[in-house]
């Protein structure tokens, strides 16, 4: 309460006494951490409804240790490096919140060593972003499995990370008259961490400086100064010896917003959170100068705001009103009014259906489904506790209709009806039933370890048409798996027919994961095995990445896994493996099931605020066997292929090569041409067969025509070898794509494809425009090149050379822009389209008419660019219908 924090140590009996006062308390949390054991957190989020117990017992599991060594750019140990990573609390919470993460933070000692002693065993395979910070070196953000830092067979923590001196970025800030602006706040993205700005200020000469930045394209710098509108430079390529970044600040206009409820009353303390500006999802309030909320009159005021469109999320704080997301505002000195709707309040009773007795404690979960996806998603992070058979919850952040589910020990979960967004006060009563033997109460079974005996703490997940477990580096993520008890037993959650909107079907797989092994089993095999799952030992993949004759240091690699004879028509779990090569180019993938694996080096391009695009390169495949290690080498053969890309002379603007994709694949030839003789023979098929509307009947008639006519037999003799040739060509095409080699393109259009073997290759290059913020679809293609190249043999019988083969300058074909990116204030381009007029009674078919935008000038027009696969598009449909009806 009042943001008070107590640090208390347990005594020799493991007892800790924590003082607290009930008065004014809104939230109470106890976090337990001790070396050698996993952390635990107990929370009482609403003490009035969920009373704090006088005593609570924390049961801690044994933990694993991870650690490593940090070196400087000369290879010497580096002390004082802050090392940070996250892992999920998982079930080690009093109230389980699925996406709640624990922060692990350590500093290196004088020998550059760090160690963290409280990692849960099941988190070892998780992929994570490790942050390494030191004041004299560039900050490193390394995405890799936590397992990279586990001890070796001798118990030593030898995994090493090297920190480098970074790039110095300088710039100048002046006003419209060219005078220096001192004291301006400057923030910039360092690497791809665009939501964690590094900050500095300008000196008396308007100069700013950032030290030890990472070389990276697609970065941005933003400047804010009192009396000026904020300004941003985007798409900056951070590189050595780059030119100063110049800013000219101008006065802006005022954004004035009034937030009211449906009765017109002002809503105070509404937080305006910056969602995006221009092409950036900035996710920081640095641009607005800090935290901004509406005052007592419901007014939000931002003076000297930029004059272009800014998108805000409006977060209410009273618990009575809903949040407003993605609200576009243009600073024009006038007042904008936003109306917030009431929150959805749901209350009711929870009781035993047979006895009518109140259920003393239960969980309340909120669910939803996207307009285009009827599967229900449950927000475990929004879980509430109910007591004494009553509940009263409020939902202020809702974008889709709501479902409420009640879970109580000893009862089958029960789900509510769909609650529409137009509802505000809803009363629901839940009559809870205890499961019977005749009813589906979940799947029961036993997991045996490698020795054939039941094993504890194995994680279980189920794969159906409606459930797709995600397995990352050998661990379940984005879900809370079921755990086996001390006798190896497990029971899955009851499968409710009301909850499975689309029939899951009779097929499913059970997947079991433990640090010692892995298993997946189909429903039929599970029943044949008497509801027993037998673990098999994990396989392992290791190897070396070479780039030319040098080690491929600290490069990202992915592993794709497929089981033998995989049936893609059946539901499948999603497996994802990622790692980083070390300073010697070595890489390891632990906890891999037996099957077929493909390891690829990942090439990043199109780096922007929302992320980047990756393309696999130099892929190699292998078979993995239980308990064995497969070894691979990527790269180290062939020669580098270099060149320079450019656009035609009549191209307007400067191409942003950060958004250029370039790759080569082995030549797989041209597809076979469809035989003209077959076309002629098809014309002889009788009209009654061609005009048959029943597909099955038509297929049978065609088969009779093939067997019983000379033309049909001739057709078969020609089409059969043609179809084989097509299949062979498709096989070559598939195999060719597996052997692609890719690279990024620098800011001047230069590229270097490493380790290209001799032969004929197809080179494909595509240049696109940078994506607008929140864009669902791909970017607009503005340049393209598709050509064949021939890489010569390496002389003297060698398999590798560092001498490049130069393709020279390649001119991309300029593609006509199919669409113009439209922004607020620009004139919409004219277009013509065909409109289908619904047919009236008595008409044979709908009428068609042409509509031109220019003919509608002066009228109110709604333009809705949408797609059935785009969740945000479909979510806006009800609002568009309401708007359309109002206009009508």
């Amino acid at each position: 309460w009042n943001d008070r924090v107590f640090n208390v140590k347990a005594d020799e009996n493991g007892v800790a006494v924590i003082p607290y006062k009930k008065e004014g308390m809104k939230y109470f949390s106890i976090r337990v951490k001790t070396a050698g054991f996993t952390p635990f957190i107990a929370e009482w989020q609403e003490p009035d409804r969920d009373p704090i117990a006088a005593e609570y017992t924390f049961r801690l599991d044994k933990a694993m240790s991870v650690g490593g060594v940090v070196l400087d750019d000369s290879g010497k140990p580096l002390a004082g490096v802050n090392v940070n990573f996250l892992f999920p609390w998982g079930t080690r919470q009093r109230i389980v919140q699925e996406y709640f993460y624990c922060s692990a933070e350590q500093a290196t000692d004088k020998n550059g060593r760090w160690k963290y002693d409280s990692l849960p065993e099941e988190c070892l395979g998780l992929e994570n972003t490790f942050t390494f910070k030191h004041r004299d070196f560039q900050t490193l953000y390394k995405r890799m499995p936590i397992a990279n830092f586990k001890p070796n067979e001798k118990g030593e923590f030898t995994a090493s990370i090297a920190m480098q001196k970074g790039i110095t970025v300088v710039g100048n800030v002046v006003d419209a008259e060219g005078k220096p602006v001192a004291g301006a706040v400057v923030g910039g993205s360092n690497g791809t961490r665009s939501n964690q700005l590094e900050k500095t200020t300008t000196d008396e000469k308007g100069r700013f400086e950032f030290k030890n930045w990472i070389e990276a394209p697609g970065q941005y710098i933003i400047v804010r100064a009192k009396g000026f509108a904020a300004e941003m430079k985007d798409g900056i390529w951070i590189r050595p010896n780059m030119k100063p970044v110049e800013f000219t600040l101008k006065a802006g206009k005022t954004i004035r917003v009034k937030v009211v409820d449906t009765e017109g009353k002002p809503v105070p303390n509404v937080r305006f959170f910056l969602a995006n500006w221009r092409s950036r999802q900035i996710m920081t309030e640095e641009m607005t100068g800090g935290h901004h909320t509406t005052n007592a009159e419901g007014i939000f005021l931002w003076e000297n705001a930029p004059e272009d469109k800014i998108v805000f999320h409006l977060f209410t704080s009273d618990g009575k009103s809903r949040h407003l997301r993605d609200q576009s505002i243009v600073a024009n000195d006038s007042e904008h009014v936003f109306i917030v709707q009431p929150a959805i309040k749901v209350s009711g009773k929870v009781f035993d259906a047979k006895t009518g007795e109140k259920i003393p404690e239960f969980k309340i979960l909120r669910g939803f489904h996207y307009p285009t996806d009827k599967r229900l998603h449950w927000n475990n992070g929004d879980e509430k506790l109910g007591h004494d058979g009553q509940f009263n919850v409020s939902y202020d952040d809702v974008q889709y209709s709501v479902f409420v589910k009640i879970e109580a020990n000893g009862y089958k979960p029960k789900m509510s009806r769909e609650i529409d967004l137009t509802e505000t006060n809803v009363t629901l009563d839940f009559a809870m039933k205890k499961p019977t033997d005749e009813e589906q109460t979940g799947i029961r079974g036993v997991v045996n370890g490698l020795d054939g005996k039941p094993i504890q703490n194995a994680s279980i997940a189920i794969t159906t048409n409606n459930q797709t477990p995600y397995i990352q580096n050998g661990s379940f993520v984005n879900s809370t798996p079921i755990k086996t008890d001390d006798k190896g037993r497990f029971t899955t959650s009851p499968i409710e027919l009301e909850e499975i909107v689309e029939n899951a079907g009779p097929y499913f797989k059970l997947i079991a994961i433990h640090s010692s092994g892995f298993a997946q089993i189909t429903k039929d095999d599970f029943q044949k095995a008497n509801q027993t799952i037998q673990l098999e030992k994990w396989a392992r993949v290791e190897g070396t990445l070479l780039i030319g004759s040098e080690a491929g240091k600290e490069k990202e690699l992915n592993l794709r896994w497929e089981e033998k004879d995989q049936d893609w028509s059946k539901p499948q779990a999603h497996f994802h493996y990622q790692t980083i090569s070390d300073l010697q180019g070595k890489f390891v993938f632990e906890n891999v099931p037996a099957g077929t694996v493909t390891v690829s080096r990942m090439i990043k391009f199109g780096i922007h605020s929302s992320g980047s695009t990756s393309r696999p390169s130099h892929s190699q495949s292998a078979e993995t066997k239980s308990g064995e290690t497969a070894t691979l080498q990527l790269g180290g053969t062939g020669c580098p292929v270099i060149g320079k890309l450019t656009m035609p002379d009549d191209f307007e603007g400067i191409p942003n090569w950060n958004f250029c994709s370039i790759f080569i694949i082995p030549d797989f030839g041209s597809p076979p041409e469809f035989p003209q003789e077959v076309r002629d023979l098809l014309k002889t098929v009788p009209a009654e067969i061609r005009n048959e509307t029943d597909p099955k009947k038509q297929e049978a008639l065609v088969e009779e025509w093939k067997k019983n006519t000379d033309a049909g037999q001739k057709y078969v003799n020609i089409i059969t070898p043609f179809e084989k040739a097509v299949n062979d060509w498709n096989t070559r095409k598939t195999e060719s794509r597996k052997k692609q080699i890719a690279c990024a393109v620098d800011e001047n259009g230069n590229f270097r494809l490493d380790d290209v073997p001799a032969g004929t290759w197809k080179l494909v290059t595509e240049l696109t425009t940078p994506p607008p913020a929140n864009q669902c679809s791909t970017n607009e293609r503005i340049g393209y090149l598709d050509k064949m190249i021939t890489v010569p043999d390496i002389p003297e019988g060698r398999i590798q050379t560092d001498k490049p083969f130069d393709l020279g300058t390649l001119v991309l074909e300029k593609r006509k822009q199919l669409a113009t990116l439209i922004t607020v204030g620009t004139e919409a381009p004219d277009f013509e389209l065909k409109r289908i007029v619904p047919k009236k009674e008595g008409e044979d078919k709908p009428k068609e008419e042409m509509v031109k935008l220019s003919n509608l000038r002066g009228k109110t027009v709604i333009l809705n660019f949408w797609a059935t696969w785009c969740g945000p598009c479909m979510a806006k449909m009800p609002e568009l219908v309401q708007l359309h009806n109002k206009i009508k």
Side-chain angles (χ1 to χ4, degrees):
W1 69 104
N2 296 330
D3 294 326
R4 296 186 186 180
V5 177
F6 289 90
N7 291 311
V8 180
K9 286 193 175 183
D11 63 18
E12 66 275 10
N13 297 312
V15 175
V17 178
I18 301 170
Y20 70 90
K21 295 179 182 179
K22 292 183 179 180
E23 295 78 18
M25 182 186 292
K26 296 181 180 179
Y27 179 87
F28 190 70
S29 169
I30 304 175
R31 302 187 182 204
V32 177
K33 293 183 179 181
T34 187
F37 293 87
T38 58
F40 198 103
I41 181 169
E43 294 181 318
W44 288 262
Q45 297 176 353
E46 299 174 279
D48 290 340
R49 299 176 186 171
D50 180 17
I52 301 168
E55 183 177 297
Y56 190 88
T57 300
F58 293 86
R59 303 189 184 278
L60 306 183
D61 299 323
K62 286 283 188 179
M64 295 194 67
S65 296
V66 291
V69 182
V70 181
L71 308 174
D72 64 15
D73 49 2
S74 65
K76 296 179 181 179
L78 184 60
V81 179
N82 180 278
V83 183
N84 182 272
F85 66 97
L86 303 174
F87 60 86
W89 288 93
T91 56
R92 296 173 179 86
Q93 307 174 69
R94 177 176 176 267
I95 302 174
V96 176
Q97 299 177 81
E98 194 167 312
Y99 301 105
F100 196 31
Y101 283 79
C102 179
S103 175
E105 188 168 331
Q106 295 291 316
T108 58
D109 61 17
K110 63 180 180 180
N111 297 314
R113 299 187 179 278
W114 65 273
K115 189 172 74 163
Y116 180 76
D117 294 316
S118 296
L119 181 75
E121 183 180 10
E122 71 270 18
C123 295
L124 190 65
L126 295 182
E127 183 181 295
N128 211 295
T129 298
F130 286 79
T131 304
F132 300 86
K133 287 188 175 182
H134 191 283
R135 64 180 181 275
D136 297 328
F137 294 85
Q138 65 182 21
T139 300
L140 286 184
Y141 302 101
K142 291 290 185 181
R143 187 79 179 169
M144 63 183 78
I146 299 176
N148 281 25
F149 295 101
K150 73 176 186 178
N152 60 20
E153 295 178 353
K154 297 180 181 179
E156 301 166 333
F157 298 94
T158 57
S160 60
I161 292 291
M163 300 192 74
Q164 305 290 331
K165 294 288 185 180
I167 297 166
T168 298
V169 178
V170 299
N172 298 290
V173 181
V174 299
D175 62 16
E177 298 177 354
K179 296 179 180 178
V181 178
V185 178
V186 186
S189 57
N190 184 14
T192 58
R193 308 287 290 187
S194 58
N195 61 336
Q196 296 183 4
L197 294 183
E198 285 203 10
K199 299 168 191 174
T200 187
T201 56
T202 56
D203 60 19
E204 67 278 1
K205 296 181 179 180
R207 185 180 182 275
F208 64 86
E209 180 180 270
F210 293 104
K211 290 185 176 180
N212 291 311
W213 269 26
I214 301 168
E215 182 170 0
Q219 303 306 299
Y220 74 95
I221 297 175
I222 186 170
V223 177
R224 173 179 56 83
K226 188 176 181 179
F228 298 94
E231 187 53 73
M232 177 172 64
K233 297 279 182 156
D234 199 0
I236 301 172
W237 197 303
I238 307 300
R239 62 192 185 280
N241 304 314
M242 60 185 292
K243 294 180 180 179
V245 185
E246 307 289 347
F247 285 89
T248 301
L249 301 186
K250 301 177 182 177
K253 291 191 176 181
T254 300
I255 290 179
R256 180 183 175 89
V257 180
K258 185 170 185 179
V259 182
V260 298
D261 61 19
T262 51
E263 297 178 356
K265 297 178 181 178
V267 183
N269 298 318
V270 178
R271 181 184 176 189
F272 277 65
F273 184 85
L274 182 65
N276 60 66
W277 177 38
R278 297 178 184 168
S279 62
R280 283 281 161 182
Q281 289 178 281
I282 296 176
M283 306 305 291
T284 176
E285 293 172 319
E286 178 60 40
M287 195 185 76
T288 62
H291 186 76
H292 281 273
T293 59
T294 55
N295 60 19
E297 287 74 41
I299 301 296
F300 161 71
L301 192 66
W302 180 12
E303 296 178 338
N304 281 305
E307 295 187 45
D308 44 3
K309 181 182 74 172
I310 299 173
V311 179
F312 289 95
H313 297 320
L314 279 62
F315 293 134
T316 59
S317 60
D318 58 3
K320 301 176 183 178
S321 307
R322 297 184 202 176
H323 303 330
L324 271 177
R325 291 183 176 271
D326 298 315
Q327 301 301 310
S328 299
I329 303 175
V330 177
N332 55 12
D333 295 335
S334 60
E335 184 173 89
H336 305 263
V337 178
F338 288 115
I339 301 173
V340 292
Q341 300 296 317
I344 296 179
K345 295 182 178 180
V346 185
S347 60
K349 299 176 181 179
V350 181
F351 54 90
D352 187 296
K354 189 174 182 179
T355 66
E357 294 181 356
K358 298 178 181 178
I359 294 179
E361 185 171 282
F362 51 90
K363 295 178 182 178
I364 309 130
L365 292 94
R366 175 167 66 100
F368 67 95
H369 64 72
Y370 297 106
T372 56
D373 181 3
K374 296 303 180 183
R375 293 179 298 176
L376 281 168
H377 304 268
W378 296 100
N379 187 354
N380 290 334
D382 199 18
E383 182 180 295
K384 308 287 185 182
L385 284 181
H387 297 272
D388 299 324
Q390 293 184 332
F391 70 94
N392 189 343
V393 294
S394 179
Y395 299 120
D396 55 12
D397 192 7
V398 288
Q399 296 174 277
Y400 313 100
S401 54
V402 174
F403 295 83
V404 172
K405 182 167 67 172
I406 302 295
E407 292 183 354
N409 289 334
Y411 291 88
K412 295 192 302 178
K414 192 171 181 62
M415 188 178 70
S416 74
R417 64 173 176 82
E418 185 173 1
I419 301 170
D420 190 78
L421 288 176
T422 59
E423 301 180 72
T424 54
N425 288 289
V426 179
T427 301
L428 299 171
D429 289 343
F430 291 84
M432 307 295 287
K433 295 180 180 180
K434 293 184 177 181
T436 63
D437 293 338
E438 291 77 23
E439 292 175 317
Q440 172 68 14
T441 58
I443 302 164
R444 292 190 175 95
V446 174
V447 178
N448 288 336
L450 302 179
D451 57 1
K453 297 178 181 179
I455 192 167
Q456 188 176 6
N457 280 333
S459 299
I460 310 296
I462 185 170
T463 300
T464 70
N465 286 338
N466 295 316
Q467 300 179 69
T468 304
Y470 190 94
I471 299 163
Q472 182 174 279
N473 293 320
S475 298
F476 290 114
V477 294
N478 295 341
S479 65
T480 304
I482 303 147
K483 295 283 189 177
T484 56
D485 62 16
D486 56 355
K487 295 182 180 179
R489 299 172 302 190
F490 69 89
T491 302
T492 67
S493 299
I495 301 174
E496 305 170 80
L497 293 178
E498 311 103 298
E499 187 173 330
I500 301 177
V501 181
E502 296 177 354
N503 183 17
Y507 178 90
F508 65 77
K509 276 184 181 179
L510 286 168
I511 297 176
I513 287 179
H514 187 265
S515 60
S516 63
F518 166 87
Q520 64 173 341
I521 189 168
T522 64
K523 174 185 177 182
D524 292 341
D525 290 341
F526 180 63
Q527 292 172 344
K528 291 176 184 176
N530 196 26
Q531 284 74 47
T532 300
I533 302 174
Q534 176 62 51
L535 293 180
E536 291 186 355
K537 201 168 185 179
W538 291 106
R540 184 172 180 272
V541 179
E542 66 178 19
T544 305
L545 172 66
L546 296 175
I547 301 177
S549 59
E550 301 291 329
K553 301 177 182 179
E554 298 185 316
K555 301 299 182 184
E556 180 182 326
L557 297 109
N558 276 18
L559 178 147
R560 187 179 75 251
W561 176 83
E562 293 180 17
E563 63 180 306
K564 190 176 181 180
D565 302 322
Q566 193 156 358
D567 185 355
W568 290 104
S569 65
K570 300 290 180 64
Q572 304 289 336
H574 181 78
F575 291 81
H576 175 76
Y577 288 82
Q578 185 179 38
T579 192
I580 301 289
S581 59
D582 65 15
L583 298 178
Q584 288 75 44
K586 304 291 185 182
F587 62 85
V588 176
F589 293 97
E590 304 278 5
N591 295 355
V592 180
T596 302
V597 298
T598 301
V599 177
S600 307
R601 176 186 169 192
M602 302 306 294
I603 306 297
K604 285 188 177 182
F605 63 95
I607 299 171
H608 58 289
S609 61
S610 300
S612 62
T613 303
S614 295
R615 183 178 289 279
S617 183
H618 297 87
S619 302
Q620 294 291 328
S621 298
E623 296 297 319
T624 54
K625 296 181 180 179
S626 175
E628 297 184 10
T629 297
T631 304
L632 293 170
Q633 177 182 305
L634 276 63
T637 61
C639 70
V641 174
I642 64 173
K644 181 179 177 65
L645 302 177
T646 186
M647 292 296 288
D649 293 338
D650 60 347
F651 178 77
E652 297 179 1
I654 300 174
N656 187 338
W657 296 111
N658 175 35
F659 294 94
C660 183
S661 166
I662 180 169
F663 64 94
I664 58 174
I665 54 176
D667 179 25
F668 51 86
S670 301
E673 291 188 16
F674 193 83
Q676 181 60 42
E677 195 171 358
V678 170
R679 300 181 193 274
D680 297 336
L681 288 168
L682 289 173
K683 294 177 182 178
T684 68
V685 176
E688 59 268 23
I689 296 178
R690 295 199 307 268
N691 297 332
E692 176 57 55
T693 56
D694 185 337
K696 290 185 177 180
K697 189 175 180 180
Q698 185 186 53
E699 183 179 355
L701 291 172
V702 169
E703 288 302 317
E704 289 182 15
W705 174 78
K706 291 179 183 178
K707 293 178 181 178
N708 302 326
T709 67
D710 292 340
Q713 292 177 10
K714 191 174 183 181
Y715 167 85
V716 171
N717 292 335
I718 299 173
I719 202 68
T720 300
F722 168 74
E723 289 176 342
K724 182 181 183 304
V726 170
N727 289 334
D728 292 343
W729 180 81
N730 283 326
T731 299
R732 294 197 305 272
K733 181 179 179 181
T734 301
E735 291 302 314
S736 176
R737 288 178 173 174
K738 291 180 181 178
K739 297 176 181 178
Q740 76 171 350
I741 296 174
C743 69
V745 181
D746 75 11
E747 70 274 21
N748 297 314
N750 298 306
F751 66 89
R752 179 187 176 98
L753 295 155
D754 292 304
D755 300 303
V756 181
T760 303
W761 298 77
K762 180 180 181 181
L763 182 145
V764 180
T765 300
E766 182 179 70
L767 175 66
T768 63
T769 57
N774 296 332
Q775 179 171 300
C776 294
S777 61
T778 56
N779 310 337
E780 185 178 357
R781 186 166 68 174
I782 54 177
Y784 187 77
L785 181 64
D786 185 338
K787 66 172 294 180
M788 304 303 297
I789 64 171
T790 300
V791 178
D793 291 324
I794 301 172
E796 302 174 7
R798 291 182 298 165
I799 63 170
Q800 186 274 333
T801 178
D802 290 329
K803 182 180 180 181
F805 174 61
D806 194 345
L807 296 176
T809 300
L810 305 178
V811 182
L812 274 62
E813 176 186 344
K814 186 175 71 171
R815 289 299 172 98
K816 182 179 179 181
Q817 292 181 256
L818 301 179
T820 301
L821 296 178
I822 303 171
T823 58
V824 173
T826 60
E827 182 174 312
D830 196 14
F831 61 81
E832 186 177 56
L833 53 82
K834 184 184 293 184
R835 176 173 180 259
I836 308 297
V837 183
K839 68 178 182 179
K840 298 179 181 178
E841 188 176 348
E843 294 180 344
D844 294 334
K845 59 181 182 179
K847 293 181 180 179
E848 296 180 356
E849 64 180 34
M850 299 307 295
V851 177
K852 292 188 68 174
L853 182 64
S854 57
N855 293 338
L856 299 174
R857 296 201 184 277
K859 298 182 180 180
T860 300
V861 178
I862 301 174
L863 294 179
N864 179 31
F865 300 92
W866 64 282
T868 55
W869 47 260
C870 176
C873 300
M874 299 301 293
K876 293 293 183 183
M877 282 296 183
E879 298 177 21
L880 288 167
V881 171
Q882 293 176 10
L883 181 60
H884 176 262
N885 292 337
K886 285 181 181 179
I887 293 173
K888 287 179 65 177

